Amino acid sequence: MKNILVIGANSAIAKATARHYAEQKDSLYLLARDPEQLAVQKDDLMVRGATSVECAAFDATDFTSHGPLIAQALETLGHFDIVLIAHGSLPDQALCESDFNVALEAFNVNALSVISLLNYVIKPMQTRRDGCIAVVTSVAGDRGRQSNFIYGAAKAMVSTYLQGLRGRLFPDNVAVVDIKPGFVDTPMTAHLPKGALWAQPEQIAQRIVKGVEKRSSTVYAPGFWRLIMFVVCSVPEVIFKRLKL
Amino acid sequence: MKMHSWGRYPVSDTVLEAPRSRESFARHLTALRDSDDRQIIARGMGRSYGDSALSHTVLATKSIDNFIDFDEDSGLLRCAAGLTLDAILQVFMPRGWFLAVVPGTRYVSVGGAIASDVHGKNHHVDGTFCEHVTELTLLLASGDILKCSRAENAPLFHATCAGMGLTGIVLEATLRLRRIHSSAIEQRTIRTNSLEEAFEKFEQNLDCTYSVAWLDCLATGQNTGRSLLFLGEHASDERFVTPRKRSLSVPFSSPSFLLNRYSMGLFNNVYFHKPIRAGQLQRIEAFQYFFPLDSIQHWNRLYGRRGFLQYQCVIPDEGALEGMRKILNMVSAAGKGSFLSVLKKFGPANQNLLSFPMRGYTLAMDFKFEQGVLPLLDDLDRVVADHGGRLYLAKDARMSAEFFQSSYPHWEQMRELRREFFADSLFHSLQSQRLGL
Ligand SMILES: Cc1cc2nc3c(=O)[nH]c(=O)nc-3n(C[C@H](O)[C@H](O)[C@H](O)COP(=O)(O)OP(=O)(O)OC[C@H]3O[C@@H](n4cnc5c(N)ncnc54)[C@H](O)[C@@H]3O)c2cc1C
Ligand SMILES: NC(=O)c1ccc[n+]([C@@H]2O[C@H](COP(=O)([O-])OP(=O)(O)OC[C@H]3O[C@@H](n4cnc5c(N)ncnc54)[C@H](OP(=O)(O)O)[C@@H]3O)[C@@H](O)[C@H]2O)c1
């Protein structure tokens, strides 16, 4: 039985992952924006078999709240075996270019809030010398594309941060897993047309669970994105900059 | 967007909306009521074959897929309507619970199972899915949310069970689960060489919980009606195997010429000569017994781009043998074979206004969509009508309003009730319009 903190718990990907852990009879602590949805999820996870589920409302951009929220979660759970961070937002690139406040908000939600939260999560895990941190970033962070580079840059910031953190926490036996989903059919992408490359949140959840279990460093989800991103990253910049991607 | 259901026929232009929560369903509905588009219908997993879950606007229930409560003592499970039967079984089977009634695929939503009042291999013993639903929560056209049960708002309950989404949107339901003592089924297979014999065997085994027959529709002459009857009971060995996830998939619609009378005939010949240990008990996992087709994802693509039609009729006991024999002869004379044909004995009908089952026999056949199929099915309709039978709405994409209205005795009550609750101002599927509901 594990103790699991899920941040951004109402995200479709986090929800699918939490369900898996609930069915393993784990204990969960959920942080997310909408308390009504949290209550719905709590009941769901309890029926699925969770040993206990507690939750609290949380806004990622309210940085001052992070410390007390994590402290409360730690007190409730006792310790963290797994911390999953999944909240995020997909900003409109054109709006980000015309209004810096939109870009700033995107960086706050997708990048800086993650770094702030991790600050509070790390210490107790270091002390306990065990556990796993999993953060959902994106394949969009692997290479900047003209259609989506504010989001991409924010995700890249987190991925780079996680690389460093992985080394820092290695001696403390705390694993850091970077989850990079490709296209996933979730509310965030509800407005986009769907094609053959699209995955369901349950598939991503399976990859997360497996990645955490194996303490992998980087997990592409589904796995074929590793190959796609290898190809995308191999295109020489002189050509790439001319592609309307 | 272009949308179709399991038969891939018909294809309609549809706006798909996917409200994220119970609350947002009411908001979406209010917004739609104030717009010009007043033709909407709920959609679960799209496992109905025809046009029941198609309309101008479709409200997908897939994001309301949460459990709400489970009572170990009574076996009562409350859940949201978008949850699939698969999800329920994955969680509850290992704990010794099963659904009281399951259709031939577990990838249907609770809402869809209620709206079609689905039946399983145990209909002759346990009735339909809705007979094990104790309560449901319904979102009406007015935006009001009502609880309905046999005691509370009973008329609305009996109209919504089997109501094909035409009374409103089911948001939640309470189901009574069944205790099991094993994840396996003890199966007995009986080979029969004629339709008479199959009927006889069904009648001799009425006390058996599960029974269904696979019929070779292509067999002619003295083989007409040859079939394999599968009888099943839950095992009681207290062993619970965690169900495996499906693996195979048909990735694209395959050229439909692959399925022709020769290849299907070959399949059926091999299948019916498969050695079986007659009468002997065989232990097989429940998923394999109930959902053999679920192990191949997207098998409907085998029928090619133009899709296929499923024809499922029920004929009351008195005329069942004669009617079924006529139907099989017509199908085999037309050379329009059916890959899988399923024969099943039904128990009595229930009170739900548009419920399909009635005491008698039901036959389900698949037809590739091709020239000549629609006229053939019209001819079959006449036989079914002559014998006092009817067609299953969940499978239908083509029956006439006239046939529907003459074969579903409570259809006018349904239309009245739709008026009373203003459902007819908002909830329409392509099917309900075709049928004059
Ligand atoms: C391989 C296969 C085998 C099958 N075997 C059987 C069988 O053995 N027995 C049997 O009875 N059926 C069987 N069916 C049919 C299937 O069970 C029904 O069509 C069922 O309704 C499908 O559920 P769904 O969630 O996919 O609903 P959809 O196809 O999405 O919708 C079907 C109808 O339900 C309505 N509906 C869906 N959700 C709601 C809701 N929340 N509130 C109100 N209305 C709603 C829709 O408006 C529509 O009218 C089978 C289907 C397949 C593909
Ligand atoms: N979907 C994809 O194609 C895709 C691809 C790659 C990576 N990802 C990443 O996957 C993660 C999960 O997203 P998803 O696809 O599951 O979409 P989702 O269901 O829309 O989840 C995003 C979640 O982030 C939450 N959120 C947004 N801003 C917040 C804030 N200021 N404070 C607190 N919570 C906030 C949202 O809360 P509300 O529920 O309250 O709105 C929502 O639950 C995200 O990090 C996303 O970037 C997604």
Side-chain angles (χ1 to χ4, degrees), chain B residues 31-40 56-57 425-426:
Chain B
L32 284 164
R33 213 175 42 228
D34 299 337
S35 74
D36 312 332
D37 190 3
R38 290 156 155 273
Q39 295 190 21
I40 68 173
H56 287 190
T57 300
S425 66
L426 204 53

Side-chain angles (χ1 to χ4, degrees), chain A residues 7-15 31-35 37 58-62 85-90 105 108-110 113-114 135-140 151 155 179-190 192 198-199 201 204 221, chain B residues 20:
Chain A
I7 305 179
N10 285 336
S11 101
I13 292 174
K15 215 157 48 173
L31 292 177
R33 196 156 52 173
D34 179 349
Q37 282 308 303
F58 136 94
D59 187 324
T61 54
D62 180 4
I85 304 187
H87 65 275
S89 65
L90 185 61
E105 172 79 7
N108 280 335
V109 173
N110 288 302
S113 70
V114 176
V135 182
V136 183
T137 65
S138 170
V139 296
Y151 178 73
K155 291 294 191 183
I179 315 285
K180 297 186 175 182
F183 300 137
V184 195
D185 183 6
T186 69
M188 180 182 278
T189 52
L192 301 175
W198 286 76
I204 310 304
Chain B
R20 285 184 66 176

Side-chain angles (χ1 to χ4, degrees), chain B residues 330-367:
Chain B
M330 287 162 74
V331 170
S332 127
K336 305 272 181 234
S338 169
F339 199 29
L340 297 172
S341 310
V342 177
L343 182 70
K344 160 99 199 98
K345 165 92 185 165
F346 273 161
N350 61 30
Q351 291 181 43
N352 303 329
L353 298 185
L354 297 185
S355 192
F356 165 67
M358 57 165 120
R359 197 187 285 286
Y361 280 83
T362 181
L363 176 67
M365 299 177 281
D366 289 349
F367 294 92

